[in-house]
Every structure is written in C-alpha cells, then in structure tokens.
C-alpha cells in the first residue's frame, strides 16, 4: 500500500472502464454528470482531447482508458462524467473523468488493499496505487496524480517536438 493510502482505507466511488472496476476517492468527487457536449481541442492528445462546460467553468475531460491502454468504446446510456478536484502539487485541479458506468460509493478497508503487483498486470503499475476488494471483485485504485502528471508531461513533450518539427 502506498504512503498516500490512509490506514483506515478509503471511501470510494466505483466506476467501470471496459470490464474493469476502478475506485476513485469519493472525497475528490464534486459531481457526476450525464454526457455533455465536448469541445475538441486541436492538436490535443488522446488523454485530454476536449473541454466541457461545468456550470459555466471550462473543465478538461480526461479519459483514463488512454492511460491504461484500453479501447475507447462509443458513449452509451451508462456513460457518465465524474467531475473531480485533485490536489496536484498544492494546486487544485478540476477535471472530468469519463466512465463507462458509475456504480456507487463504498468503503474499501485498508486490510483489503494491496500494492499492485509488479508483474502480471496489463496496466502500467506506476499508475496503480493499489488493488482493493469489493466483495469478491478486485478494484483498481488509480494514482490520479501520477497519471495526470505523466500525461501532462507526455503532451508537453509532444507539443515541443511538434514545434521543432515545423
């Protein structure tokens, strides 16, 4: 279990991405929205390819499936946007996260959370804070700070490369 995990576990919003269940810290969730119009950003990467309007504020829309190498199915009746506020280097960052389905808020006990295995996972281990249990199901606990930082660095380096190629 990482040092970010509290000894008491976590209160989590469980979501589905493809056939996998993920747990987002419920304390960071501001609201859950039905799909809204997305304004595509020219030359933006796949992780944050668009912006949405949330009560008059411009909010970047991130797709965790990109970070985890998952396919991106078209939106359906279960698709939702989870609006979160994440503390990134001491600054609040509000972002929308696409979810194939939102389940519920649940407690994941500290005893049921383990470190992500270094081998045998199909996802980048550095993006997984831990693996928890919800009943008989495994729940992936993503490290949102690492994901956002890494995707931001990737986008910055692509933009710099594109500028020097011109």
């Amino acid at each position: 279990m990482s040092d970010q995990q509290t000894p008491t576990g976590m209160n989590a919003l469980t979501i589905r991405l493809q056939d996998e269940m993920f747990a987002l810290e419920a304390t960071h969730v501001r609201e859950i929205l039905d799909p809204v119009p997305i304004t595509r950003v020219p030359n933006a990467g796949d992780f944050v390819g668009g912006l949405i309007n949330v009560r008059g504020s411009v909010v970047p829309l991130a797709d965790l499936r990109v970070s985890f190498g998952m396919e991106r199915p078209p939106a359906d009746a279960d698709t939702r946007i989870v609006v979160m506020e994440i503390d990134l280097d001491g600054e609040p960052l509000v972002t929308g996260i696409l979810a194939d389905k939102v389940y519920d808020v649940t407690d994941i006990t500290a005893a049921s959370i383990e470190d992500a295995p270094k081998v045998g996972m199909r996802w980048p281990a550095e993006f997984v804070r831990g693996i928890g249990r919800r009943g008989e199901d495994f729940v992936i606990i993503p490290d949102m700070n690492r994901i956002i930082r890494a995707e931001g660095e990737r986008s910055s380096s692509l933009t710099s490369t594109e500028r020097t190629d011109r």
Side-chain angles (χ1 to χ4, degrees):
M1 195 165 41
S2 77
D3 57 357
Q4 294 178 337
Q5 186 60 45
T6 61
T8 58
M10 68 184 284
N11 190 250
L13 175 69
T14 53
I15 65 170
R16 186 183 80 222
L17 298 176
Q18 285 190 335
D19 294 327
E20 303 292 342
M21 188 178 305
F22 285 75
L24 305 174
E25 284 194 59
T27 56
H28 296 293
V29 175
R30 285 177 134 189
E31 60 187 300
I32 300 166
L33 305 173
D34 288 334
V36 297
I38 301 168
T39 301
R40 296 285 168 210
V41 178
N43 300 320
D46 290 333
F47 179 66
V48 178
L51 304 170
I52 58 173
N53 179 342
V54 178
R55 304 189 194 299
S57 296
V58 176
V59 174
L61 181 62
D63 191 344
L64 292 178
R65 293 173 294 201
V66 172
S67 300
F68 288 98
M70 300 173 150
E71 291 181 19
R72 296 171 64 178
D76 63 20
D78 289 331
T79 302
R80 297 292 180 268
I81 296 170
V82 179
V83 179
M84 300 182 68
E85 184 172 319
I86 302 165
D87 180 37
L88 191 62
D89 300 326
E91 295 291 324
L93 170 71
V94 177
T95 186
I97 304 291
L98 279 170
D100 294 330
K101 182 174 182 143
V102 172
Y103 291 109
D104 58 8
V105 175
T106 188
D107 288 321
I108 300 176
T109 64
S112 74
I113 300 173
E114 297 181 22
D115 286 334
K118 300 295 182 213
V119 295
M121 282 198 3
R122 64 180 183 181
W123 316 288
E126 68 271 15
F127 290 164
V128 180
R129 268 180 50 190
I131 306 290
R133 283 195 172 268
R134 180 177 177 250
E136 294 299 312
D137 297 321
F138 287 110
V139 182
I140 297 103
I141 303 168
D143 188 326
M144 295 302 296
N145 286 348
R146 278 193 181 170
I147 292 169
I148 290 170
R149 240 185 240 107
E151 293 295 346
E153 289 169 7
R154 185 177 303 152
S155 294
S156 295
S157 67
L158 287 175
T159 304
S160 298
T161 304
E162 289 169 358
R163 284 186 196 130
T164 58
D165 288 346
R166 291 182 187 173

